[in-house]
Amino acid sequence: MWLDRLAGGPSTASGSQLTPQPGGKSYSPLPRRTSSTLSPYVTSQRPGHSPRNSSLSLVSNDSSHSLLSHPRRTNGLAPRQSVAAPNVNDSLNILNKILTPPKEEGFNCEESQKLLSSSITEVDLELEVDFGGLSLREVASSQTPDEIEAAPRQGQILEDYQKERSTFEGLHRSITACDDVLNSVELNLIDFRNDLASVSADIESLQERSAALNRRLQNRKDVEKALGPVVEELSVSPEVVAKISTGQLDESWVKIICELDRRTVAYDKKIISGNQPSRASAELGPLLEKLTLKAIERIRDFLVAQIKALRSPHINAQLIQQQNFLRYRDLYSFLHRRHAALAEEISRAYMNTMRWYYQTQFARYQQALASIKTHVIDKSDTLGHEDTTRMATVLSSTRTAGSPHDAFNLGRRIDLLKTSNQTALSSYLADEDQTTRYLEVQFHHFNLALIDNATAEYTFLASFFSPALSYSHISKIFTHIFESTFEMGQTLSKTLVSDTYDALGILLCIRLNQKLAFELQRRKVPAVDNYINGTNMLLWPRLQVVMDRHCESVRQLVTNLPNKSHRSASDAAKMTSAPHVVTQRFGQLLHGFLVLSAEAGDDEPVAASLHRLRSEVEAFLNKQSLSYGGDNRKSDRFLYNNYSLILTIIGDTTGKVAVEQQKHFERLKAVHREDA
């Protein structure tokens, strides 16, 4: 039977693999059974090992991947799966279990029926299989189609290996060279590690030495801190001696002088205290004294040289004061402490020099201002003068006729008081100016220049001579310097107002002088107050004289008028009731006074002068109204027109004095309006 042959066949046939046919049929000649999975004739679905999956390694046999690519199949078919033949011994055992009924007690009928249904029946034994004339052993030992196809491929793989052998050998040499390089790198790293260990040891040694040096340095600092002041107090360096004796006078020289003064003061205190001086301290005293004398000598020469420079022609005194005197102002304080007599001589030399300087400069400036043409307003410019076409004359020896002017109209003359540009006119511009001006122009520019220079000089004196000198002593020095210059200014003011009858010009000078006084208070320069007060003492009395002259001229008009009108009724009817020319002049003069007195009180002499002049004008107008005869209505109309004109002229003025005048003329106007 074929079953006996199967059971007695060689064991090698059980390990062979069968490859399925291309048509999907099994390579085995036995038909496939699908009714039982336990039958030994069922073809296995596990794929066998294909020759294509084998790998070839030149370095190690453990590699599972081939270095060569798989050759492409030429027939275009997918790789076939091989069917492994079942183990014969296992098949017999299974067959015996199927044929032998179970004898265990726990075996039930359902399991028995299941085994019987899967056993081989007689129909299965009658199946005839065509092996193609081959025995079962030959069938088992025959090669599969995959093995037949793999044989030429193995030859191809060997041929490809021979071609790529040089490449593999070069790769092997590269790997060997890399190993050598890595070995050298390893040696270098070992040497570097040894060097680092040596450097670390050196660093530790340096740290220990640094700590020791720091301790020594700190100890020296402590000793120097304790002994330094004592050594410095008892010694003078050669550099300091050389600097004081022959060094250039600059800021560093001044600092050394201040240090020398401090050392000298400390030494003097120690001597005065009565303590027994040490040998070093005894040797220090003569050295400090010699250095002090040398410093005094050099300071004297320096200050004398600067004072001489002030007498040079066309020199700017303020430039020398700022750059040379104030820069080394500590030198005078040192000189005053160490040699007071010499310091006093230096200050006196400076006073005389600056007195000459300001006197010369302002004399030239006054001469330049005198070249400006000035309107002359004399007795003919009073209110009661009959000439209505007055012409101004120029202040000169020939008194030639000048440009016409109005002595009673303020106009733009007030711009000099309200302008914010407080700069004095230069001498050059004064010489070139050909315009005829009023007297307040010369007064303003001269006093403005004088106040500016006085402020600069007082500020310099207070900065340079203090704290060596007291402020009272400094004020005396200032007074001595500007005494002649102040006299020159007062002489100029007296010359300008002594012969003039320009009441508005004099009042303008008074207001300008008051403005300068306020500016001096703001600058904190009290030393010029005497000059300001002296100027006021010149201007106010002259203003009263001029106002008295105006009142006298109006009284003269009243005296010249007849007490009764001698005109006939027809002549009185022809007379006009228009305002009188005196009213026009008085209104303009009153307007100028009120504008200049907008911030003044009623306690000034201006208020009293205006009251007197107003009374004289009212008396003149009342007497003038009698010239209309018995026509009281026309007389009242005449008075109404005059008072209305005055009120119209002063209507835009402000201030306490202006309000009082406006109310007064409003009452007069109201009285004569009812009668008119």
Side-chain angles (χ1 to χ4, degrees), residues 275-334:
N275 296 331
Q276 184 66 26
S278 61
R279 182 177 179 181
S281 180
E283 294 177 355
L284 180 64
L287 178 60
L288 293 177
E289 184 178 358
K290 292 179 181 179
L291 290 176
T292 301
L293 293 176
K294 186 63 178 179
I296 291 174
E297 179 184 354
R298 298 200 64 188
I299 292 172
R300 180 201 61 189
D301 297 340
F302 173 77
L303 294 178
V304 169
Q306 302 306 318
I307 293 173
K308 287 182 178 180
L310 293 173
R311 290 184 173 270
S312 301
H314 307 291
I315 194 67
N316 189 348
Q318 294 182 2
L319 184 63
I320 296 179
Q321 290 174 350
Q322 296 294 328
Q323 294 185 355
N324 296 335
F325 281 97
L326 289 181
R327 188 179 179 184
Y328 307 109
R329 59 184 177 182
D330 294 334
L331 299 181
Y332 183 82
S333 299
F334 176 83

Side-chain angles (χ1 to χ4, degrees), residues 82-97:
S82 62
V83 179
N87 194 329
V88 177
N89 294 328
D90 295 338
S91 301
L92 292 177
N93 293 331
I94 294 172
L95 185 59
N96 290 330
K97 290 179 180 180

